[in-house]
Amino acid sequence: MCASPSIQRGDRLYEEDNEKHVGTLGTIMTSRLPGRDDLTYVALTAGHIIAGGQDVLYIRNRKDNSLVQLKVAPKSRRFNGRPLGRQGEDPSFHDECAYLIVDSNDIQYFDNCIPNLDVHYFSTRNLSLSQILDPVSIRRAGHFRTLAYGPGLVVYKNGGTTGLTLGHLIQVMESSPQGWYELPGAEDDTREWWEVSNEDDDEDDDEGESENEDDEDEDEEWLGLVKWADIPFSAPGDSGSLVFALESGVTVPLGIHVGSPGCYPGHSLFIGLEAFCYEAEREGWELNFTHC
C-alpha cells in the first residue's frame, strides 16, 4: 500500500476523453487467485454508470493529473442497459453490482485499505480477523434493520459530486423491491436511471422481525434507504460511492449508493455489500477487505 496514496474512495470516475465524471469509486476489495497468494484488486461501483460496450473507466491521479485506467470486469460490461453476466435473467437490483479491476502495477496509487474497519461491528459475537473483513461471514441485515427502526443510525458517503455527506438509515429492504426501471427519456449525463416502488415493503413493517444472525428466513442481500439531513445526501454523479457508519472510531462499510428514488423525495438508496460479494462469484472472486 502506498504511504500517501493519491486516489481515494469517493474520487470521480470518467469515460475516456470526457471531463464530466459519470460516477464515483466506492471502495476496493480483494480476492485471492485459487492456489496462489496473488491478489486481484476490485473496485466496487454502480452498474448504471457504465455505458453500453464500455470496457474501461478512468480515475484521476492527483499527483500528476494523469488518468489511471480501470478495466470493467467481463461480466460487468453492459449491453442494452444490463450487465453481460445477467442478460439471461430477470432485471433486479443485482444489475447495479459492478466491478472495476485495478491493475496490480497501479494499486500503489490507490488508498485500498480502510483503517479500523469492522463490517460486523454491531454483532455481539467474538469474530476472527478474517470474519471481520468479510461482509458475508455472518448475516448483518438484522442488526441494521433493528437500528433503523430503533435508535437510528447515522451513515455517511463521500461522493464525486457532493463530497462527504450524512443521512439517517431508516429502512432495510431484504427482498427485491418492485418497479426498478430505466426512466423514459432520462438524460445520459445524469446517470440517475433507477426508481424503486414501495408496493411490497409492508413486510418490513412487521413488529416481530428476528434479530438472530442465523435466522434462515432472513435474506442475506438487502438494500438500505437513507433519509437526507439538512442537505442532500447525494446528487447525480455520486452513484457508486461507499455508504458507511462511524462508531467509536470504527468504520463500518454498509453498501454502495445507487441513486435517489423519485418515489422517495429526500431519500437515497444503497445496495448492501453482501449482494456485491455474491455477484462477484460470477467473476470467480471471493471478495474481502484488506487488513491495514
Side-chain angles (χ1 to χ4, degrees):
M1 184 178 66
C2 181
S4 181
S6 58
I7 300 174
Q8 306 284 332
R9 291 173 295 280
D11 280 1
R12 297 176 173 184
L13 293 169
Y14 299 87
E15 292 179 352
E16 188 174 14
D17 300 325
N18 186 350
E19 284 300 312
K20 182 175 177 59
H21 77 281
V22 296
T24 299
L25 175 71
T27 190
I28 294 177
M29 299 183 72
T30 60
S31 177
R32 291 195 180 278
L33 298 176
R36 299 173 57 180
D37 291 332
D38 297 358
L39 293 177
T40 300
Y41 295 92
V42 182
L44 309 189
T45 192
H48 69 259
I49 75 168
I50 302 172
Q54 189 84 20
D55 58 3
V56 294
L57 289 178
Y58 297 85
I59 196 163
R60 196 171 299 282
N61 185 341
R62 297 192 192 100
K63 287 188 175 179
D64 57 11
N65 210 37
S66 63
L67 289 176
V68 176
Q69 186 179 102
L70 299 173
K71 182 180 178 182
V72 178
K75 290 182 173 56
S76 290
R77 295 186 66 189
R78 295 176 76 87
F79 298 91
N80 298 319
R82 301 198 61 211
L84 179 62
R86 297 188 56 82
Q87 292 287 313
E89 302 183 28
D90 291 338
S92 77
F93 68 84
H94 298 89
D95 287 7
E96 285 285 3
C97 298
Y99 312 92
L100 307 173
I101 302 172
V102 183
D103 190 279
S104 58
N105 293 320
D106 293 327
I107 194 64
Q108 61 182 311
Y109 306 120
F110 288 77
D111 184 4
N112 65 306
C113 182
I114 303 177
N116 301 321
L117 175 146
D118 185 349
V119 296
H120 299 293
Y121 175 84
F122 298 105
S123 172
T124 57
R125 295 188 183 184
N126 292 320
L127 301 177
S128 66
L129 176 60
S130 62
Q131 290 176 308
I132 286 172
L133 300 175
D134 180 1
V136 298
S137 60
I138 63 172
R139 299 174 189 243
R140 306 193 304 163
H143 295 296
F144 295 131
R145 196 177 196 185
T146 299
L147 288 166
Y149 284 101
L153 180 65
V154 176
V155 297
Y156 304 83
K157 72 108 200 62
N158 193 7
T161 297
T162 57
L164 183 64
T165 57
L166 66 84
H168 302 273
L169 179 67
I170 63 165
Q171 188 174 357
V172 169
M173 306 173 185
E174 295 180 350
S175 59
S176 299
Q178 301 295 311
W180 286 68
Y181 59 92
E182 185 171 333
L183 293 174
E187 294 294 332
D188 285 349
D189 61 354
T190 67
R191 304 290 174 151
E192 298 295 336
W193 293 339
W194 298 97
E195 294 229 8
V196 56
S197 78
N198 199 24
E199 295 175 12
D200 290 350
D201 287 341
D202 291 341
E203 61 190 279
D204 288 327
D205 294 329
D206 294 339
E207 293 291 336
E209 63 248 355
S210 171
E211 298 178 18
N212 188 343
E213 297 157 0
D214 295 320
D215 187 347
E216 293 299 327
D217 294 328
E218 181 185 305
D219 292 336
E220 293 188 61
E221 300 177 11
W222 55 282
L223 302 96
L225 188 67
V226 177
K227 184 177 181 180
W228 296 357
D230 295 334
I231 62 174
F233 185 73
S234 61
D238 284 342
S239 291
S241 53
L242 179 69
V243 177
F244 60 96
L246 286 174
E247 298 287 327
S248 302
V250 176
T251 298
V252 189
L254 274 67
I256 298 296
H257 166 70
V258 294
S260 300
C263 57
Y264 289 124
H267 294 76
S268 296
L269 194 71
F270 69 88
I271 297 175
L273 289 175
E274 288 84 339
F276 281 83
C277 290
Y278 287 121
E279 283 295 306
E281 294 176 2
R282 296 173 184 262
E283 303 284 355
W285 298 326
E286 293 184 3
L287 296 182
N288 290 278
F289 286 97
T290 300
H291 176 57
C292 293

